[in-house]
Amino acid sequence: MEKKKISGHDHIRYKRPQISEVEMLKKSREFFNQMDQRRTVREFDTRPVALEVIENIIKTASTAPSGAHKQPWTFCLISNPEIKRKIRLAAEEEEKISYGGRMSDTWKEDLKPLGTNWEKPFLEEAPYLIVVFKQSYGMENGEKVQHYYVSESVGIACGFLIAAIHQAGLVAVTHTPSPMNFLSQILERPSHEKPFLLVPVGYPKSETYVPDIERKTLEEILIRY
């Protein structure tokens, strides 16, 4: 492995096989077509998923870029039925309050086409829950270590996570009960870690329906300069 010191720090030479423009176009189209099939699914089959598959998915998420390479994330993987039950009950308690008054009428109206409500059975039905925590700062040898662009970094990692789940042939729903402090308590996480996203992962039920909705077109999301 070729190494070089830059500003006094070791760097390794980056190499990546070059592909033709034709192959590049093919790969980019194929990946879009694959990801365009991704849907949020709330109906999970209870059949198990191999642990190594989930671990590979999380390792993929950990390849995301982060501010100053601090990697300010913690992934908690839950398969224990008792813990999943606690999380569901706590999440539904918060969701009841949200649907009962925290959320505006406009918000609730916008959610109607998605068929969602305060009940979250998928938190128990999915074989795994992945809870992503963002680290406000790090801890090394009992000392605080500053982190940078924490929310942005963890958000990118979550994007990698969702793409990896879909690529592996599984489904997920991104769940963000608010507030989410109960996750810190149930999972006994330290105070410098804050819950960011709750992602149930598994297979869809054999007969599953998703909302008949469309994504914005390229013309609606892209401005060329």
Side-chain angles (χ1 to χ4, degrees), residues 130-197:
I130 300 174
V131 183
V132 186
F133 285 83
K134 64 178 184 179
Q135 300 172 3
S136 304
Y137 53 87
M139 292 295 297
E140 291 182 10
N141 301 318
E143 299 290 331
K144 289 185 179 181
V145 176
Q146 187 170 355
H147 283 170
Y148 313 91
Y149 300 107
V150 173
S151 293
E152 294 86 347
S153 300
V154 178
I156 295 169
C158 287
F160 278 37
L161 180 75
I162 294 163
I165 290 168
H166 180 72
Q167 194 276 336
L170 300 172
V171 297
V173 52
T174 51
H175 185 42
T176 51
S178 181
M180 291 196 285
N181 295 332
F182 65 87
L183 291 169
S184 299
Q185 297 166 1
I186 292 173
L187 300 176
E188 299 180 345
R189 301 311 305 157
S191 60
H192 67 283
E193 293 186 1
K194 307 298 180 186
F196 188 83
L197 190 64

Side-chain angles (χ1 to χ4, degrees), residues 9-10 15 134 205:
H9 296 276
D10 286 337
K15 292 184 178 180
K134 64 178 184 179
K205 287 183 178 178

Side-chain angles (χ1 to χ4, degrees), residues 43-55:
E43 298 179 353
F44 288 85
D45 195 304
T46 57
R47 62 182 164 137
V49 176
L51 176 60
E52 187 177 1
V53 171
I54 303 299
E55 290 177 341

Side-chain angles (χ1 to χ4, degrees), residues 64-152:
S66 60
H69 194 55
K70 293 298 184 180
Q71 305 166 83
W73 43 63
T74 300
F75 298 89
C76 292
L77 182 61
I78 302 104
S79 59
N80 184 302
E82 293 181 9
I83 299 177
K84 288 197 292 184
R85 177 67 175 168
K86 288 180 181 179
I87 290 174
R88 177 186 177 179
L89 292 176
E92 287 184 336
E93 184 176 343
E94 294 295 350
E95 293 289 272
K96 274 185 183 179
I97 297 172
S98 292
Y99 277 86
R102 282 184 188 143
M103 298 163 63
S104 67
D105 291 338
T106 301
W107 190 352
K108 287 186 283 188
E109 194 65 28
D110 285 339
L111 286 174
K112 283 184 178 179
L114 305 182
T116 183
N117 56 39
W118 66 266
E119 296 179 286
K120 309 299 176 185
F122 52 75
L123 293 175
E124 286 190 274
E125 293 168 350
Y128 288 103
L129 303 181
I130 300 174
V131 183
V132 186
F133 285 83
K134 64 178 184 179
Q135 300 172 3
S136 304
Y137 53 87
M139 292 295 297
E140 291 182 10
N141 301 318
E143 299 290 331
K144 289 185 179 181
V145 176
Q146 187 170 355
H147 283 170
Y148 313 91
Y149 300 107
V150 173
S151 293
E152 294 86 347

Side-chain angles (χ1 to χ4, degrees), residues 8-66:
H9 296 276
D10 286 337
H11 284 60
I12 57 174
R13 185 173 181 181
Y14 176 73
K15 292 184 178 180
R16 184 183 174 100
Q18 295 297 305
I19 61 176
S20 68
E21 289 191 9
V22 172
E23 184 68 10
M24 193 181 299
L25 179 60
K26 177 175 178 288
K27 284 179 174 290
S28 65
R29 185 184 293 121
E30 287 176 346
F31 188 65
F32 163 70
N33 288 334
Q34 182 187 41
M35 292 305 298
D36 195 36
Q37 299 303 309
R38 188 208 60 78
R39 295 298 303 267
T40 291
V41 172
R42 294 178 172 84
E43 298 179 353
F44 288 85
D45 195 304
T46 57
R47 62 182 164 137
V49 176
L51 176 60
E52 187 177 1
V53 171
I54 303 299
E55 290 177 341
N56 286 336
I57 286 168
I58 292 173
K59 285 194 293 185
T60 299
S62 76
T63 69
S66 60

